[in-house]
Amino acid sequence: MKHGKQLAREIFSDTLAALDIPRVMELKLALTGSILTLEDATIDLSVFTSVYVVAIGKAAHAMAAGLRAFLPDNYPFKGVVAAPTKPDAAVPGLEYFIAGHPNPNADSWRAAEAILALLRGADERSVVFFLLSGGGSALTELPIVPGMKLADLQAANHALVTCGAPIEAMNTVRRHLSAIKGGRLAVAAARATKVTMAVTDVPVGKEHALASGPTVPDPSTIADTIGIIDQYGLRTRFPEVLVRWLDEGKMPETPKPGDSAFRIAHFQLLLGMHDLFHCAHHASEARGYVTCCDNSTDDWPVEDAAEALLKKLEEWKNENPGARVALIADGELSSPVTGKGIGGRNSAFVLSCVEKIAGRKITVLSAGTDGMDGNSPAAGAVADGETFARAKTRGLDPATAFQQSDAYTFFEKLGDAIPTGPTGNNLRDLRIFLAEP
């Protein structure tokens, strides 16, 4: 019989394989002749003389390749791709930028300029496919503030991500300081038909948070933005050129619902939380586990989430006496950096479970579907009831590793880190709990 850690790894691996983006495009889109069918519209591609593609995010390569495979060759397109890695094979007609994440780099800036230049050629006879996935906020950026340089942009980004504000607040500020976010790419292609396809790592109903919403209306306001900047003391941390612009009161408002730029705009979700749950649930059930899903701990501190989810696992086990049971959870947790070690929120979550499951027939895996976990080279980690005892024999202490933000080193020494490399996808973090009777 396979060990729980091996089964958990297999469930994670099968889930990633089932989230194949080109295959998902074939399942969720339909093309009959020249008629493209989306969830909310049908579009006759034959009426357009030009097809543009803008792909931004960690899944940009797979999305661009999937769209090229989906559309017949008689629909040639040109466009821009901004991703953190090189493509395995370049799609003809696309210009590629190896952009920065989590901090924007020179290619992030150049990609934004190239996108705006591309969209200047889009008119009523154009259709633009915006292919968006997680990480886009850093991978493509151009300040709306005159005189800002790349170093200023990077300093402002660093100030924002380290100020303690929640992600929604950070994105509100990003949208108002950007020439492309918060619906401004839709405005740049105002006359064209726009189709946004999303592989999203944000909750349902928060589509404006994906890549900071470059193609959808922005629900936040200038007043919200100034309030956040003041609340978190960002004026003392932002570069001088940005502070001076703020003091001059020159911030323009982002486009809102009802703006004409969104009149012929469509949004198609390709992959989201439901798909992640469905694939993981199927992979778990296929291995004989009675499985339930839970997304109640999104944004929780890792230790609180560990307590709550292990309690739910125990309750689920009691509801199914004698059965092998599994709990699947998703979402991103809060894991403040308190040391100078190597790791991220996924390995930190598993680390927080090690003592709690010691001696019990429980396995816990947590990993990022993008293959990345903090500053580590792994996607996450896995532990079981024997991990605590194994760690003690090697002189490893979970509490010390947690305090030093060194969860990856802890699990790497035990052979329980999960290195995948970049997956070319980016949904949410996935947590897998297995319990034997």
Side-chain angles (χ1 to χ4, degrees):
M1 186 173 178
K2 290 181 179 178
H3 196 281
K5 289 192 296 184
Q6 182 181 351
L7 290 168
R9 286 176 180 268
E10 289 179 1
I11 292 168
F12 179 61
S13 179
D14 284 4
T15 300
L16 291 181
L19 297 169
D20 179 72
I21 290 171
R23 186 181 71 86
V24 168
M25 280 189 176
E26 293 181 359
L27 292 173
K28 295 197 174 182
L29 306 175
L31 187 64
T32 305
S34 63
I35 305 299
L36 173 65
T37 302
L38 309 170
E39 286 182 352
D40 67 345
T42 57
I43 298 172
D44 185 356
L45 297 179
S46 68
V47 306
F48 300 109
T49 58
S50 54
V51 179
Y52 297 105
V53 172
V54 174
I56 303 170
K58 295 178 184 177
H61 294 320
M63 296 180 79
L67 184 64
R68 179 64 283 166
F70 179 78
L71 293 179
D73 291 341
N74 60 322
Y75 294 107
F77 53 60
K78 61 181 179 179
V80 176
V81 180
T85 58
K86 292 181 179 180
D88 291 334
V91 174
L94 298 183
E95 183 179 8
Y96 288 86
F97 295 86
I98 304 173
H101 186 276
N103 299 310
N105 64 6
D107 261 15
S108 303
W109 186 298
R110 284 193 287 264
E113 290 179 327
I115 290 167
L116 291 174
L118 175 81
L119 297 181
R120 279 194 282 272
D123 58 21
E124 294 85 352
R125 298 168 298 171
S126 307
V127 58
V128 184
F129 289 97
F130 292 97
L131 310 178
L132 304 182
S133 54
S137 291
L139 290 166
T140 311
E141 182 58 298
L142 185 67
I144 203 168
V145 183
M148 276 189 74
K149 308 297 184 185
L150 177 60
D152 299 317
L153 171 63
Q154 292 170 331
N157 183 72
H158 178 74
L160 195 56
V161 301
T162 58
C163 74
I167 186 65
E168 177 63 23
M170 285 192 279
N171 282 337
T172 293
V173 177
R174 283 177 174 139
R175 290 192 292 269
H176 281 82
L177 302 184
S178 173
I180 64 167
K181 295 177 167 61
R184 288 188 167 122
L185 284 189
V187 173
R191 293 185 294 162
T193 295
K194 295 165 285 293
V195 178
T196 298
M197 297 185 185
V199 172
T200 177
D201 61 346
V202 301
V204 175
K206 299 283 188 179
E207 287 77 16
H208 58 274
L210 178 63
S212 297
T215 64
V216 296
D218 178 21
S220 63
T221 65
I222 292 173
D224 296 330
T225 305
I226 298 301
I228 293 164
I229 289 171
D230 291 343
Q231 179 181 353
Y232 292 95
L234 285 166
R235 289 176 188 269
T236 62
R237 307 178 69 189
F238 275 162
E240 182 181 344
V241 62
L242 175 52
V243 174
R244 190 164 55 246
W245 179 79
L246 290 170
D247 290 343
E248 291 171 352
K250 293 184 176 180
M251 183 185 297
E253 188 56 277
T254 48
K256 300 292 181 273
D259 191 293
S260 61
F262 306 115
R263 185 175 56 83
I264 41 177
H266 310 280
F267 188 93
Q268 172 79 48
L269 179 65
L270 292 178
L271 285 172
M273 180 184 71
H274 174 78
D275 301 281
L276 180 62
F277 271 157
H278 176 77
C279 295
H281 188 279
H282 179 78
S284 176
E285 293 269 357
R287 286 165 176 80
Y289 289 94
V290 180
T291 307
C292 68
C293 297
D294 181 275
N295 69 341
S296 64
T297 57
D298 195 21
D299 289 331
W300 285 30
V302 290
E303 292 175 295
D304 293 348
E307 291 278 2
L309 292 171
L310 285 169
K311 181 180 179 181
K312 288 179 183 291
L313 178 69
E314 193 65 30
E315 292 170 352
W316 185 238
K317 187 178 178 182
N318 292 337
E319 290 178 29
N320 297 274
R324 305 167 73 207
V325 301
L327 172 68
I328 306 295
D330 84 330
E332 297 179 356
L333 302 177
S334 171
S335 181
V337 175
T338 55
K340 297 182 179 180
I342 303 173
R345 59 180 179 250
N346 286 291
S347 53
F349 175 82
V350 180
L351 191 60
S352 71
C353 293
V354 167
E355 287 195 63
K356 296 177 176 66
I357 64 174
R360 302 166 68 185
K361 294 181 179 179
I362 293 176
T363 300
V364 178
L365 180 149
S366 185
T369 54
D370 59 358
M372 295 183 242
D373 184 38
N375 64 351
S376 81
V382 62
D384 63 11
E386 300 175 5
T387 299
F388 185 59
R390 290 177 57 227
K392 286 184 68 176
T393 63
R394 298 193 181 202
L396 299 172
D397 177 44
T400 300
F402 191 89
Q403 185 179 20
Q404 295 175 346
S405 301
D406 204 24
Y408 167 77
T409 303
F410 178 93
F411 288 112
E412 193 276 333
K413 288 181 177 178
L414 294 174
D416 289 333
I418 303 175
T420 63
T423 63
N425 210 327
N426 189 41
L427 292 174
R428 317 210 79 202
D429 295 340
L430 182 66
R431 282 172 282 287
I432 301 167
F433 297 79
L434 307 178
E436 308 298 331

